[in-house]
Amino acid sequence: MYLLEMAPKFLLAIFILLIYVKLSGKSQIAPMSQLDQVGSMVIGALVGGALLSPTVSPWEASGLVAIWAGLLVLIRFIKSKNSRLRDTIDGKPIQLVKNGNLITDNFIKANLPVRDFETLVNIQGVPSFGDLKEVWYELNGSLTLIKKGDKDIAVLIIENGAISQDNLKQLNKDEDWVKREITKQGYEKIEDIFCAEWFDNKLIIYPYDAVREGNK
């Protein structure tokens, strides 16, 4: 009898979770941000608590999961449209090495012991700190590094039709420079561009599909 009573809860909860996974996208399979991790744990707790509680009806259990999942999807959508808000919520990568020099204060900021840093660097095939040119500690705990002699990595200037102000500042450029650069390549508005990266001293533009088709 108990299992029969719980069956509708299980079915509704699974249905809502499948919708949540679909809306969240495949990025949920990859390393997640802190907000994603906490949000997923809360969903697990809500599902477990609601399923095991005999006083919570199937619709109440599903409603709790749906509301929380909806909030997470909404926040993720807003973050995708506003890079500054995303940086405020998720934080930003922390640069640990600049021009071959260890930025010791940032190790404290990242709460990363130098021994752990050495392990992460060695895993990527770098035997010594002296081989490093630039290193960033990413939000998911991984390292992005450039070795001495390597080309600098691309810097994302435009993302989802909006300028990344922090990256632009990193290059000592301004918005007028971005507008001039996209005009040279035949684009009128920043909003027409899905993303653009600065690499090897040139701006590489990737427009939205509709804009690309219209320019053909």
Side-chain angles (χ1 to χ4, degrees), residues 61-131:
S62 302
L64 289 173
V65 177
I67 291 172
W68 184 254
L71 287 174
L72 292 178
V73 172
L74 177 62
I75 292 173
R76 191 173 294 112
F77 174 78
I78 294 174
K79 289 193 301 179
S80 71
K81 299 299 182 181
N82 190 314
S83 59
R84 287 188 172 180
L85 180 61
R86 183 183 62 246
D87 291 342
T88 300
I89 295 174
D90 292 338
K92 296 184 290 185
I94 300 173
Q95 188 165 13
L96 301 176
V97 179
K98 184 175 183 180
N99 296 325
N101 298 312
L102 299 180
I103 307 175
T104 56
D105 288 343
N106 281 359
F107 278 81
I108 299 173
K109 182 179 179 181
N111 194 26
L112 179 66
V114 69
R115 180 172 294 183
D116 292 346
F117 175 68
E118 181 182 43
T119 300
L120 292 172
V121 167
N122 292 160
I123 288 173
Q124 297 200 38
V126 179
S128 169
F129 295 160
D131 294 328

Side-chain angles (χ1 to χ4, degrees), residues 126-146:
V126 179
S128 169
F129 295 160
D131 294 328
L132 298 172
K133 179 183 177 182
E134 312 281 344
V135 178
W136 290 267
Y137 188 54
E138 303 294 346
L139 301 178
N140 58 26
S142 64
L143 294 181
T144 297
L145 57 85
I146 303 173

Side-chain angles (χ1 to χ4, degrees), residues 148-165:
K148 291 178 179 178
D150 291 346
K151 283 186 175 181
D152 289 339
I153 61 175
V155 178
L156 202 61
I157 300 299
I158 299 174
E159 182 180 0
N160 295 321
I163 295 175
S164 176
Q165 296 295 338

Side-chain angles (χ1 to χ4, degrees), residues 14-71:
I14 290 175
F15 179 71
I16 292 174
L17 288 175
L18 288 174
I19 294 176
Y20 168 67
V21 171
K22 184 69 175 179
L23 293 176
S24 297
K26 294 181 179 179
S27 61
Q28 284 297 90
I29 301 174
M32 298 183 293
S33 68
Q34 293 178 344
L35 178 63
D36 290 330
Q37 293 180 38
V38 173
S40 297
M41 286 190 292
V42 171
I43 284 182
L46 287 174
V47 171
L51 289 177
L52 295 176
S53 175
T55 60
V56 178
S57 71
W59 294 111
E60 289 173 334
S62 302
L64 289 173
V65 177
I67 291 172
W68 184 254
L71 287 174

Side-chain angles (χ1 to χ4, degrees), residues 174-181:
D174 56 25
E175 291 191 20
D176 290 335
W177 171 81
V178 178
K179 293 175 182 177
R180 289 195 299 268
E181 289 294 323

